[in-house]
Amino acid sequence: SQQGEEDPQALSIQEGENATMNCSYKTSINNLQWYRQNSGRGLVHLILIRSNEREKHSGRLRVTLDTSKKSSSLLITASRAADTASYFCATYAGGGSNYKLTFGKGTLLTVNP
Amino acid sequence: DGGITQSPKYLFRKEGQNVTLSCEQNLNHDAMYWYRQDPGQGLRLIYYSQIVNDFQKGDIAEGYSVSREKKESFPLTVTSAQKNPTAFYLCASSRDWATNEKLFFGSGTQLSVL
């Protein structure tokens, strides 16, 4: 079953604009991670935010986490054509020895030059 | 050059045939994973291995088998029992299972049925 669900499914913006993607999940988590996938390639880890953190930054990326609303957002500032990719959130949750990372269906971001 | 190598990049399977996808890592990671990705979908966990000589079923293990005889290798066999094998298969590793800081992915194998 899908733990994280991204919104929107697709997003098209102009170069230089900011892109915001959201992720909602259903159960308590240990951490939430964002990954990027270029077409036909593997995923690349972008950023991890733990359940006791509210915001993290990495370069042009800003991630927020609201555990009360069970949601996270990924903001990419000053987007570039090279940012065109699918972005996935993944939640790390479970108990005992049964923790696992569960991925959402992703947001397809297109940045137009 | 550290990382995860998947081969082949493209693979074709005939009806009734078993095929094996290779995954090798030189990151000295204990944990390894196999995911399946269908078009427009997220990743679904097939099998994972926390340590050498141990592996566990994921969410969609039926029709698949794995082995973990060496730390650096985690091959996936798609058996003839898997009736809908056409998908993009991704192998990943992490430093260990307990901390699960982040996954490192290979570049994937696209499997198609002839």
Side-chain angles (χ1 to χ4, degrees):
Chain A
S1 63
Q2 300 287 356
Q3 162 74 310
E5 294 289 341
E6 292 91 343
D7 172 60
Q9 291 185 338
L11 179 61
S12 181
I13 61 174
Q14 296 299 122
E15 210 165 22
E17 294 180 341
N18 295 343
T20 299
M21 288 158 270
N22 303 297
C23 172
S24 60
Y25 56 92
K26 298 175 183 176
T27 64
S28 296
I29 61 172
N30 178 285
N31 67 59
L32 185 145
Q33 303 176 30
W34 285 91
Y35 289 80
R36 165 194 168 125
Q37 184 182 33
N38 288 79
S39 181
R41 305 299 299 273
L43 278 70
V44 176
H45 181 268
L46 295 176
I47 197 164
L48 180 153
I49 187 164
R50 301 188 189 284
S51 59
N52 62 353
E53 297 175 314
R54 292 295 167 260
E55 187 171 313
K56 284 191 83 169
H57 297 255
S58 177
R60 293 184 296 113
L61 304 180
R62 173 179 166 247
V63 169
T64 62
L65 179 65
D66 187 334
T67 53
S68 67
K69 296 181 179 179
K70 291 187 170 58
S71 68
S72 174
S73 67
L74 170 67
L75 168 67
I76 303 175
T77 60
S79 63
R80 307 165 181 168
D83 293 328
T84 295
S86 292
Y87 292 82
F88 294 88
C89 72
T91 53
Y92 184 52
S97 62
N98 200 31
Y99 275 94
K100 66 177 183 178
L101 197 62
T102 306
F103 288 81
K105 294 183 179 181
T107 292
L108 176 60
L109 173 66
T110 302
V111 182
N112 301 299
Chain B
D1 189 21
I4 299 181
T5 301
Q6 288 188 243
S7 62
K9 188 167 179 60
Y10 300 97
L11 186 58
F12 298 91
R13 193 192 88 167
K14 296 179 181 178
E15 291 287 339
Q17 185 182 41
N18 293 351
V19 292
T20 298
L21 285 61
S22 171
C23 178
E24 303 278 331
Q25 55 101 355
N26 61 5
L27 300 168
N28 200 33
H29 285 172
D30 283 329
M32 297 187 74
Y33 314 80
W34 274 106
Y35 287 91
R36 169 179 172 142
Q37 186 177 31
D38 292 280
Q41 301 296 311
L43 279 64
R44 292 184 289 169
L45 183 64
I46 305 172
Y47 268 97
Y48 63 94
S49 169
Q50 299 181 28
I51 202 164
V52 176
N53 294 321
D54 177 75
F55 51 83
Q56 307 293 331
K57 292 182 179 180
D59 299 319
I60 55 165
E62 186 174 350
Y64 301 97
S65 66
V66 293
S67 63
R68 186 83 188 278
E69 297 176 0
K70 297 187 295 182
K71 185 175 185 177
E72 59 270 23
S73 180
F74 191 41
L76 173 74
T77 296
V78 184
T79 74
S80 57
Q82 172 50 245
K83 299 306 180 187
N84 185 24
T86 297
F88 191 53
Y89 291 85
L90 287 159
C91 179
S93 71
S94 63
R95 186 162 51 97
D96 57 54
W97 174 260
T99 57
N100 206 329
E101 289 290 326
K102 64 180 181 179
L103 300 188
F104 293 78
F105 282 85
S107 56
T109 292
Q110 176 64 50
L111 175 62
S112 303
V113 176
L114 290 175

